[in-house]
């Protein structure tokens, strides 16, 4: 069966015509395909696969997750063990990435940092996503005063730059990984809430939600079966982009000397500790390796997010 | 329109109130400005005396009202270290930050908008691919990495002063501002380029561009007049908000370059656990952001007649 | 245009289409063997594949086709508006007075655009730049091609706006497009297109986005302007009715080629291509007292990337033979020397079929059963949408009176149509009846139960008996659910036995193969999706179904399929329909009783034939007269009432009779009578001498508008 993106109407817009002519049909002519959910997933994967950067991103993210899980088995040295007799040593056969200002093995420190980045990144984004989706969906679906209160609240949180907000919270709750996660989630949920609200508002008025109501669907069912699954895609994409932002924010906090405790080899901390050596020739490995690790991580998640955006919404393909 | 500005201003006031409450809770209610931190040990009885002196023994709502009242009269208190009026410290650093923000935005806009337009108009060309790749990479690089690389390689070279600045050398502000502004601009310019490209591509697909071509207008007029005005609308919004963020102080960049703006002031205040300064700088940042968002919304309404008249 | 059709100078007949050899003067605009292809990863899309036509001064050529037929692409190519890449132009010429356009350098082509050839587009809202004033945009058109000052160009723009019938042109010129109504925007667009007195005007679906009374205004305007300027018009449209009244010659396109061309009369009365015949037979006609059964064209138009071998129409053609699958037919004259050309191998059989009488439809006569208790009774139904404003706390400062007190009832097994133009409140009325929106006042009774008084859970259960089919089959199905899930959901929510055979049976009932059950909506065409929507509505045998413009988003040839299905289902299951529509031809075909809405109220309510043959309300009369009938003979003799102005704002409706501001009859009244319209709102009363014909007009009276 042919399924050209159909024109809207007995009003065959010329643009639709040209576009339809210029675009390859999105769906190949399938036979009677039987699989339900998996069919859609394989569609998404097929579109995702076409984007080479997205595959690279997936590779990077996969590697990070692997490092995070198997960190104790991979690190050649303890990432915490200081050796004040052998500080700032350049890369060598023994210490692949050299040693840091405290004489720790840089390679091990970087891998430990990866673990930290993955844990904090995923936990923070999961938390802020949960807050954002719940508040955004409620605001969009209920409307009225509830919506106003939630939206003004997000405005308040939005008025603080992520870093400044996080500084306030971390200073209040003290240093540690958990406070960092809470701080970044607390000031990071606003965008997902706004996205979710916008989606919900639009979908609430959509004909298929009305159709669901017309066959007796309850509010709960409308939200869970008809609005959430359709609204979540752009929010998820945003969340993925945001993992990179969170990793950078955590590093920035450490760089400013707050957040993760000083003795934990976090990437930002590694960089700030090497500050006296920024302009010292031959010591650039002190900041270059952690900086590179941060860049690769953010790029990896950004590529995955880009690929997901295109794969989840075929209409967006080719957009900048 | 007047109604819109009024309502939007009302919302802005609400947001500022909410934000100050958050700041107050974080710095004074939950946090203890006189706690012992690190190498600064405060004996309990002195801490108590300090609390009484600064009114921190009052009930919290009263403290908040006092705090708000002081804020609105411009009395930001004195800092805990040198007992200097915080307002003076702001007066000293704000102009530097404003300069930095403006120069950074200027670089942003020039690079970002131009690159975005070229990429969109010459779609699929080498220039487009270059812009897309570079902007993707630039967005992945955290600002402090860019800052460090610039400090490591360029400070002390040519017109760029050394970091940290030597006390014996007078450097004109426009030289000092260059490197940090550039560091800040790179990432934002990448965002703007992507935004501009996407927006322009979207507009170029619209029916009224087809109409403009059907009128027999030259391609330069089609792009420069009909497409540009429409595609700039979302970009202007982004630039405005971005400026609002920068005006609140670029803490990382200013710290790396040891640039004497509010961001660096905030960094020093955090290191010294200097609560009045922290609170003042954060509130200043919130104000700058809210004010700029308000301006952006009004500007948006001016740029887009569809919104203006609703 | 219509009235000149018969008097087209015969001298012009000599050099029609391709017969360029013997012409004394070159035609005004000629397209020769034009080909426009798009290179895509999926292969070459032949959007236009060897198309030839020509048009002369003062003449209107209509290019008719469904979506994807290539009709718009061919027109846009003339103006150089088709982006290349991805488009390539492997062949063909466009000649303006003998000058070849496609070979010209871009700079010279540009001088012609908007100057000698200009174009108006389908959607006047998106076709005008939202950030520039309307006057500026027109002035820009002038200044691009003429050496005039800014002020002079603006003055000319104001004059032009006045000429196209925009009141207060000076004020309007300083406004932005979104401050104009749809009809006004299209007028402004026309003013812009005609600013430089072009010789050719390409009109691409110029009225498709507009209401039928506004469509009549715009077509009248184009006709007047054409008469005074002798402009050649190329009218690109899918609407055969529009073509019948406004075209001199017609070219029918299918899958990138012209399949038949000839004069208006020839095409409508003696079609020779199976596709043309199919289109004409599938159309519902408003002027047929005993509607013939619609004969839909099976299947759907092909995707241009997969055009069938041989004659592109053969998979849908009732006359197709083996030859049709191999040979691409070329255009041949229907008689030797005739300009009526067709590309069909079986033109004789088509001709025979077209002249054969057709069987009457199942609902040939309106069912009028009095004395049966109605299934649905609506009384005094009101739906107001509050307008809120205020600084922090919003107060209600007014209301959009979408539905303002309507009464109607529907007898079991019949169809009542609620018709009106966009914004008249018909869809809101339907949704309020179903309580998908809460009524502001009034009552709705379904059988013995009061729907308006039901509590939430009771209402939810009651939905089993009242269902709805939505207008847009692309928006009304959840894209993330399979057809099976969509249909099963109803059984889960409302109870009802669900066996293994339920869903397959349901799909068969609406004419879909059972194996489609596990596909997602995006894998279906529009018509198929609408069948899924219908299946969802009729599952569990509801008593009453709202059909909210169920065919208006579909291609012409598909509409008939769906209409026939709806009629079959009604007969089989005894369904009662409330049919919401703006298309009066479809209404005439499917209804038993018709209610006409204007600005939130019913102005006339009557049995179908009474309403169409003996309309009483001036608005109904204007509405009927504005609908084009796909028959040039009928069209030429009909009287057209062209309403002035736009529908008033429903938040601030006129006092008294809501229609009086646009009423043609009101203008003819004496002053005291006029005063009555202004102060007293007419009730929906029985018309004189009738038991079932109600009309809301102080001065109701019959007027024949359907035929000449």
């Amino acid at each position: 069966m042919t399924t050209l993106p159909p024109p809207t109407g007995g009003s065959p817009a010329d643009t639709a015509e040209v576009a339809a002519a210029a675009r390859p049909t999105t769906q190949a002519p399938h036979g009677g395909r039987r699989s339900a959910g998996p069919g859609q997933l394989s569609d998404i994967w097929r579109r995702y696969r076409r984007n080479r950067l997205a595959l690279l991103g997936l590779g990077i993210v996969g590697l990070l997750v692997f490092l995070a899980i198997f960190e104790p088995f991979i690190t050649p040295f303890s990432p915490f063990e200081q050796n004040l007799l052998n500080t700032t040593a350049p890369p060598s056969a023994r210490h692949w990435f050299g040693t840091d200002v405290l004489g720790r093995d840089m390679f091990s420190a970087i891998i430990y940092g990866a673990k930290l980045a993955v844990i904090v990144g995923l936990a923070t984004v999961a938390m802020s996503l949960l807050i954002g989706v719940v508040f955004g969906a409620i605001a969009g679906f209920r409307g009225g005063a509830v919506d106003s209160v939630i939206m003004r609240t997000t405005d308040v949180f939005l008025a603080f730059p992520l870093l400044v907000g996080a500084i306030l919270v971390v200073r209040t709750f003290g240093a540690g990984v958990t406070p960092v996660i809470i701080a970044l989630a607390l000031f990071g949920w606003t965008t997902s809430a706004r996205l979710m609200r916008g989606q919900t508002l639009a979908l609430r008025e959509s004909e298929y939600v009305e159709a669901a109501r017309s066959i007796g669907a309850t509010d709960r069912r409308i939200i869970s079966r008809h609005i959430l699954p359709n609204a979540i895609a752009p929010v998820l994409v945003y969340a993925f982009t945001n993992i990179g932002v969170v990793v950078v924010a955590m590093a920035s906090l450490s760089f400013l000397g707050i957040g993760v405790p000083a003795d934990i080899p976090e990437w930002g901390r590694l960089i700030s500790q090497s500050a006296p050596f920024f302009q010292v020739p031959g010591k650039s490995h002190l900041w270059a390796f952690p900086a590179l690790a941060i860049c690769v991580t953010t790029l990896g998640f950004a590529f995955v997010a880009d690929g997901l955006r295109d794969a989840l919404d075929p209409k967006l393909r080719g957009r900048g | 329109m007047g109604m819109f500005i009024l309502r939007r201003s009302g919302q802005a006031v609400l947001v500022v109130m909410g934000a100050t409450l958050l700041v107050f809770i974080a710095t004074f209610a939950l946090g203890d400005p006189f706690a012992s931190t690190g190498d600064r040990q405060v004996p309990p009885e002195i801490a108590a005396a300090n609390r009484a002196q600064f009114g921190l023994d009052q009930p919290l709502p009263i403290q908040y009202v006092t705090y708000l009242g002081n804020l609105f009269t411009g009395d930001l208190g004195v800092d805990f270290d040198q007992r200097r009026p915080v307002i003076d410290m702001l007066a000293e650093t704000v102009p530097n930050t404003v300069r930095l923000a403006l120069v950074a935005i200027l670089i942003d806009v020039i690079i970002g908008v131009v690159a975005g337009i070229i990429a969109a108009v010459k779609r699929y060309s080498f220039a487009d691919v270059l812009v897309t790749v570079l902007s993707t990479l630039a967005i992945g690089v955290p600002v402090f990495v860019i800052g460090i690389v610039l400090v490591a390689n360029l400070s002390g070279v040519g017109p760029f002063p050394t970091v940290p600045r030597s006390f014996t050398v007078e450097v004109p502000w426009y030289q000092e501002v260059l490197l940090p502004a550039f560091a800040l601009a790179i990432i934002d310019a990448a965002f703007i380029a992507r935004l501009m490209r996407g927006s322009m591509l979207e507009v170029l697909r619209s029916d009224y561009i087809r109409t403009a071509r059907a009128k027999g207008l030259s391609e330069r007029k089609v792009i420069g007049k009909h497409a540009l005005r429409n595609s700039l609308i979302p970009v202007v919004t982004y630039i405005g908000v971005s400026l609002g963020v920068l005006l609140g102080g670029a803490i990382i960049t200013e710290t790396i370059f040891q640039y004497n703006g509010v961001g660096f002031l905030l960094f020093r205040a955090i290191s010294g656990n200097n609560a009045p300064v922290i609170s003042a700088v954060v509130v200043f940042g919130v104000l700058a952001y809210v004010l700029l968002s308000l301006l952006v919304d009004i500007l948006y309404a001016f740029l887009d007649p569809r919104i203006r008249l609703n | 245009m219509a009235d000149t059709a018969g008097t087209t100078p015969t001298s012009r007949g000599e050099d029609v289409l391709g017969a360029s050899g013997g012409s004394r003067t070159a035609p005004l605009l000629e397209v020769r063997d034009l080909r426009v292809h798009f290179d895509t990863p999926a292969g070459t899309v032949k959007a236009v594949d060897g198309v030839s036509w020509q048009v002369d001064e003062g003449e209107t050529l209509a290019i008719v086709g469904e979506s994807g037929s290539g009709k718009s692409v061919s027109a846009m190519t003339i103006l150089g508006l088709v982006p290349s890449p991805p488009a390539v132009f492997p062949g063909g010429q466009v000649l303006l007075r003998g000058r070849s356009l496609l070979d010209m350098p871009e700079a010279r082509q540009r001088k012609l655009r908007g100057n000698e050839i200009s174009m108006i587009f389908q959607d006047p809202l998106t076709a005008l730049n939202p950030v520039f004033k309307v006057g500026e945009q027109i002035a820009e058109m002038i200044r691009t091609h003429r050496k005039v000052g800014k002020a002079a160009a603006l003055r000319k723009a104001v004059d032009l706006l006045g000429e196209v019938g925009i009141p207060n042109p000076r004020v309007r010129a300083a406004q932005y497009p979104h401050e104009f109504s749809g009809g006004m925007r299209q007028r402004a667009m026309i003013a812009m297109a005609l600013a430089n007195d072009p010789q050719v005007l390409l009109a691409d679906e110029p009225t498709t986005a507009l209401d039928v009374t506004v469509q009549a205004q715009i077509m009248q305007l184009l006709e007047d302007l054409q008469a005074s300027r002798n402009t050649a018009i190329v009218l690109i449209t899918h609407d055969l009715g529009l073509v019948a009244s406004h075209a001199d010659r017609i070219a029918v396109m299918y899958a990138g080629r012209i399949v038949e061309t000839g004069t208006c009369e020839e095409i409508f009365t003696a079609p020779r291509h199976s596709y043309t015949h199919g289109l004409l037979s599938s159309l519902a006609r408003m002027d047929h007292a005993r509607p013939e059964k619609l004969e839909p064209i099976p299947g759907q138009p092909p995707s241009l990337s997969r055009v069938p071998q041989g004659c592109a129409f053969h998979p849908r053609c009732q006359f197709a033979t083996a030859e049709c699958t191999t040979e691409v037919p070329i255009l041949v004259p229907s008689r030797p020397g005739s300009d009526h050309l067709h590309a069909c191998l079986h033109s004789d059989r088509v001709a025979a079929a077209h002249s054969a009488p057709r069987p009457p439809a199942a609902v040939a006569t309106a069912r009028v059963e009095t004395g049966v208790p109605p299934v649905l009774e609506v009384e005094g139904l009101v739906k107001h949408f509050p307008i809120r404003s205020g600084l922090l706390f919003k107060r209600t400062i007014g209301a959009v009176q979408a539905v303002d007190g309507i009464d109607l009832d529907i007898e079991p097994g019949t169809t009542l149509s609620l018709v009106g133009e966009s914004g008249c409140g018909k869809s809101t009325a339907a949704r309020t009846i179903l309580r998908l929106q809460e009524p502001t006042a009034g009552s709705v009774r379904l059988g013995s139960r009061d729907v308006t008084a039901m509590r939430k859970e009771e209402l939810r259960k009651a939905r089993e008996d009242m269902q709805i089919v939505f207008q847009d089959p692309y928006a009304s199905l959840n894209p993330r659910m399979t057809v099976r899930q969509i249909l099963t959901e109803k059984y889960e929510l409302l109870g009802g036995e669900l066996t293994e055979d339920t869903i397959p049976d349901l799909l068969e009932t609406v004419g879909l193969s059972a194996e489609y059950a596990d596909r997602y909506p995006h894998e279906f065409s529009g018509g198929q999706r609408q069948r899924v929507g219908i299946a969802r509505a009729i599952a569990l045998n509801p008593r009453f179904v709202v059909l909210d413009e169920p065919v208006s988003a579909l291609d012409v040839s598909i509409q008939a399929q769906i209409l026939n299905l709806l009629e079959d289902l009604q007969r089989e299951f005894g369904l009662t329909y409330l049919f919401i529509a703006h298309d009066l031809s479809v209404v005439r075909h499917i209804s038993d009783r018709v209610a006409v809405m204007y600005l939130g109220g019913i102005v006339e309510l009557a049995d179908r034939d009474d309403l169409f043959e003996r309309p009483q309300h001036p608005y109904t009369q204007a509405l009927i007269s504005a609908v084009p009938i796909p028959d040039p003979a009928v069209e030429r003799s009909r009287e057209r009432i062209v309403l002035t102005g736009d529908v008033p704002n429903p938040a601030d409706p006129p006092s008294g009779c809501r229609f009086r501001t646009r009423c043609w009859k009101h203008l003819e009244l004496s002053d005291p009578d006029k005063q009555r319209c202004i102060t007293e709102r007419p009730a929906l009363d029985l018309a004189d001498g009738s038991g079932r014909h109600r009309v809301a007009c102080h001065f109701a009276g019959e007027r024949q508008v359907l035929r000449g």
Side-chain angles (χ1 to χ4, degrees), chain A residues 1 3 6-7 9-14 17 21-22 31 33-34 36 207-208 210-211 213-214 216 221 226 229-230, chain C residues 40 45 67 70-72 122 204 208 238 431 460 463 467 470 474-475 478 480 489 492 518-520 523 528 553:
Chain A
M1 187 188 53
T3 49
S11 52
D14 43 70
E17 216 172 288
R33 209 181 47 202
R34 282 261 150 203
E207 278 200 350
Y208 63 81
E210 206 172 13
R213 190 164 284 134
S214 81
R221 188 182 182 96
H226 296 279
N230 286 293
Chain C
T40 73
V45 171
S67 48
K71 57 188 191 300
S72 292
Q122 174 177 348
D204 189 1
T208 305
H238 70 283
R431 283 165 166 74
R460 207 178 69 73
R463 298 216 172 275
Q467 283 294 301
F470 293 90
Y474 301 97
N478 187 336
R480 296 193 191 275
E489 186 177 29
E492 290 168 8
D518 293 307
R519 293 193 186 178
Y520 287 91
E523 297 177 65
Q528 289 170 323

Side-chain angles (χ1 to χ4, degrees), chain A residues 1-4 6-15 17-18 20-25 27-40 43-44 206-219 221 225-227 229-231 233 312, chain C residues 38 40-42 45 47 66-73 76 86 122 204-205 208 238 303 306 431 436 456 460 463 467-468 470-472 474-482 484 489-490 492-494 515 518-520 522-524 528 536 552-555:
Chain A
M1 187 188 53
T2 53
T3 49
L4 191 77
T8 34
S11 52
D14 43 70
T15 38
E17 216 172 288
V18 175
R23 218 181 287 140
T25 46
Q27 289 87 27
H30 298 291
R33 209 181 47 202
R34 282 261 150 203
S35 51
Q40 234 178 351
D43 259 12
I44 293 172
S206 74
E207 278 200 350
Y208 63 81
V209 164
E210 206 172 13
R213 190 164 284 134
S214 81
I215 56 170
T218 53
D219 281 359
R221 188 182 182 96
R225 295 249 1 217
H226 296 279
I227 291 184
N230 286 293
L312 288 176
Chain C
F38 293 91
T40 73
V45 171
E66 294 179 280
S67 48
S69 62
K71 57 188 191 300
S72 292
V73 178
M76 295 210 300
Q122 174 177 348
D204 189 1
E205 303 267 7
T208 305
H238 70 283
S303 149
R306 281 190 295 273
R431 283 165 166 74
L436 288 172
K456 208 171 174 181
R460 207 178 69 73
R463 298 216 172 275
Q467 283 294 301
I468 176 168
F470 293 90
Q471 170 177 12
D472 185 350
Y474 301 97
S476 57
L477 302 176
N478 187 336
R480 296 193 191 275
M481 289 167 79
T482 62
R484 184 188 301 281
E489 186 177 29
K490 186 169 179 186
E492 290 168 8
L493 288 165
L494 296 175
E515 70 191 40
D518 293 307
R519 293 193 186 178
Y520 287 91
H522 72 254
E523 297 177 65
F524 293 95
Q528 289 170 323
R536 172 172 59 193
S552 64
L554 303 174
D555 258 325

Side-chain angles (χ1 to χ4, degrees), chain C residues 54 61 82 106 129 131 167 250 285 288 316 355 357 362 378 529 622 650 655 657 680 694 707:
Chain C
Q54 64 174 54
L61 169 75
V82 180
E106 165 68 18
N129 195 324
V131 302
I250 298 173
R285 280 184 60 160
H288 280 201
R316 306 175 69 192
S355 46
V378 177
R529 285 171 177 226
S655 65
C657 172
E680 189 185 331
R694 294 178 174 273
R707 302 184 191 84

Side-chain angles (χ1 to χ4, degrees), chain C residues 293 360-364 367 413-415 563-577 592:
Chain C
K293 189 171 173 69
V363 282
R367 280 151 300 174
T414 68
T415 301
L563 288 174
N564 282 354
L565 171 67
L566 289 169
E567 284 177 338
D568 291 345
L569 292 171
Q570 181 170 48
R571 215 164 356 107
E572 194 174 338
F573 300 105
L575 296 169
T576 304
Y577 288 153
D592 298 303

